[in-house]
Amino acid sequence: MSGQISKEDRQQLERWIGLGPRDFELLYSISRDGCSPEIFHKLCDNQGPTLTVLYNTHGSVFGGYASSSWTNPPKDTLVQDENAFLFQLRLNDKERKNKFPVKNSPKALKACATKGPGFGSNRDFATFDSHISQENGKFKLDGYMKTPQDWLDYGNKGVLSKGDIMNNDLHVTELEVYKVTEQLQALTPAPWRKIKEESLEAQSELIGSLKPCKEQGVSDFRVLLLGPTGSGKSSFVNTVRSTFMGRLSQKAACGLGPRGCTLAYTPYTVQTKDRKNLSLRLCDTPGLTENLGIVDVAFLLGGHVKDHHKFFAANQIDVESSDFVQKPQPRNKIHSVVFVLSVSDVNDPSTGLFEKLMEIKTMLNGKGIPYNTVLTKIDEVCENTEDIYKCAAVGEVVEKVAVKLGVSRNTVFPVKNYENEVELDEHVGALALISLKHILYSAADASDAESAGETTESDVI
Ligand SMILES: Nc1nc2c(ncn2[C@@H]2O[C@H](COP(=O)(O)OP(=O)(O)OP(=O)(O)O)[C@@H](O)[C@H]2O)c(=O)[nH]1
Ligand SMILES: [Mg+2]
């Protein structure tokens, strides 16, 4: 549906029509097609139910619904319509919702080849009777509306004057006619997850406001990314960084190779467009099990591993080496863990990966460190990132991960990382931000609980 009518007004009209969800297809717009009876009839005749909506220069919105088709007889012809009604949605830019049902249904509509849409036998409401040009962005329509007390064929709201409906003024910026049809359920499957639509800016601002508890003397949440080689950990870092920076960032090296790409433990900062750091370090790690063993994960959680330490072939860090931090500061410890798994990791039964993840999960539960799962490469299941929450196959793979890890589904977040794109994509960004928001919510909860003395984290090893 294009056109000016808002979602809220459309929902109100659906309720007034009373036949369940409707689709509104814009057939005619005077600003787009010109104000002309001939064009109106050419575009709107024999289309079934239609909605005519006018927007006047005072910010008032009103019109009429016809469940019978418009036609183009040479002379004025009355058309029967039991379901027709006139309505108002706004007066002087303020919400004002009124429905005026037809009283005299055999005379509900007046059709004529030389006129625009008309309602009522003596034309309780007429739109236009000739070709009208646009002047300074408005059309001085030559129709009229009688005051509701004089309406013969439509409901009468008693005290309302025509000024109360349309300011007694048919200078309009727009007149639209929509075709109204049954909404096909198949076109709008119920989403497997409901998501509040929020702009990237609003989400970014909210995420930017999340900070660790002051009492702990820690300025950043350390978020540890764990997952097998090639699952998309480094790509997730780049995707989050790109979304905040407003341009593609390739800071973390990505790629596939026999030995994996990332070898060092690397905490990344995330900067906003105006170069302010978020209270966040996204800590990239080498591929779990191949290059990073469970004991090293425990060391990482406790803050015992120096930034940029290189792991290789799951060789455990030497606790005597200078890269091993004997007395970690609170700021080195991990506040939240993200299991980064790709769709194919979930479906690959051969690696023993999930056994390892369950071991780590037990460790995290013991330490009171929260964890979430980011499910990458979701484009392999659903090509269109806009449809992720409507795509049943994505819902299924999310459920599969949740069952395999023994976690609730609302801790598993499908994402598509930047990998082939050279420009930013708002849907890719939105998926990344939703996951990050919840990762930080859980880190903030744990941080609050710790400073309130609700957890007793035992020190690592
Ligand atoms: N199609 C698609 N490809 C992705 C996605 N995320 C990552 N990739 C690709 O997968 C490959 C591996 O991604 P990385 O981010 O390097 O994976 P990693 O988990 O950091 O791997 P290691 O550093 O080896 O442990 C790269 O070629 C990426 O371009 C995604 O969401 N969709
Ligand atoms: Mg990597």
Side-chain angles (χ1 to χ4, degrees), residues 230 232-235 253-255 261-262 284-286:
K233 300 177 292 298
S234 307
S235 303
C254 301
C261 188
T262 305
D284 198 6
T285 59

Side-chain angles (χ1 to χ4, degrees), residues 194-198 203 434 437:
K194 282 190 187 159
I195 293 286
K196 202 163 76 182
E197 276 186 27
E198 272 181 309
Q203 295 254 38
I434 286 170
K437 179 172 78 178

Side-chain angles (χ1 to χ4, degrees), residues 4 25 61 74 77 82 164 173 188 199 202 218 243 249 273 304 370 388 405 427 452-453:
Q4 286 190 23
E25 180 196 342
V61 182
T77 304
E82 277 82 17
D164 289 326
T173 53
T188 53
S199 67
V218 173
T243 306
S249 164
K273 275 180 201 154
H304 292 276
I388 294 289
L405 278 175
H427 302 295

Side-chain angles (χ1 to χ4, degrees), residues 345-366:
D345 293 327
V346 179
N347 292 322
D348 180 0
S350 61
T351 58
L353 168 68
F354 278 86
E355 286 77 7
K356 288 279 182 294
L357 293 174
M358 292 304 261
E359 251 183 87
I360 296 172
K361 196 183 112 174
T362 308
M363 193 151 70
L364 296 172
N365 286 338

Side-chain angles (χ1 to χ4, degrees), residues 166-215:
M166 38 74 88
N167 316 85
N168 202 11
D169 188 349
L170 268 187
H171 290 187
V172 302
T173 53
E174 183 60 293
L175 180 155
E176 296 172 329
V177 180
Y178 292 89
K179 179 182 169 104
V180 182
T181 49
E182 188 177 353
Q183 201 174 79
L184 294 176
Q185 291 300 322
L187 292 178
T188 53
W192 58 269
R193 175 175 288 169
K194 282 190 187 159
I195 293 286
K196 202 163 76 182
E197 276 186 27
E198 272 181 309
S199 67
L200 288 185
E201 285 72 27
Q203 295 254 38
S204 309
E205 205 173 306
L206 193 154
I207 291 170
S209 71
L210 297 171
K211 297 185 193 314
C213 251
K214 272 193 197 137
E215 292 79 17

Side-chain angles (χ1 to χ4, degrees), residues 366-425:
K367 294 176 180 304
I369 300 175
Y371 44 89
N372 288 276
T373 303
V374 159
L375 184 59
T376 62
K377 307 194 187 180
I378 207 68
D379 48 310
E380 288 175 10
V381 179
C382 173
E383 243 177 64
N384 191 351
T385 41
E386 203 176 340
D387 291 339
I388 294 289
Y389 297 109
K390 289 189 206 139
C391 174
V394 175
E396 280 163 24
V397 66
V398 163
E399 176 152 7
K400 197 165 177 180
V401 180
V403 169
K404 279 184 136 184
L405 278 175
V407 297
S408 44
R409 282 182 296 170
N410 63 4
T411 62
V412 181
F413 299 95
V415 303
K416 151 86 180 89
N417 286 321
Y418 287 117
E419 42 89 33
N420 181 36
E421 301 78 356
V422 290
E423 300 293 345
L424 294 190
D425 176 308

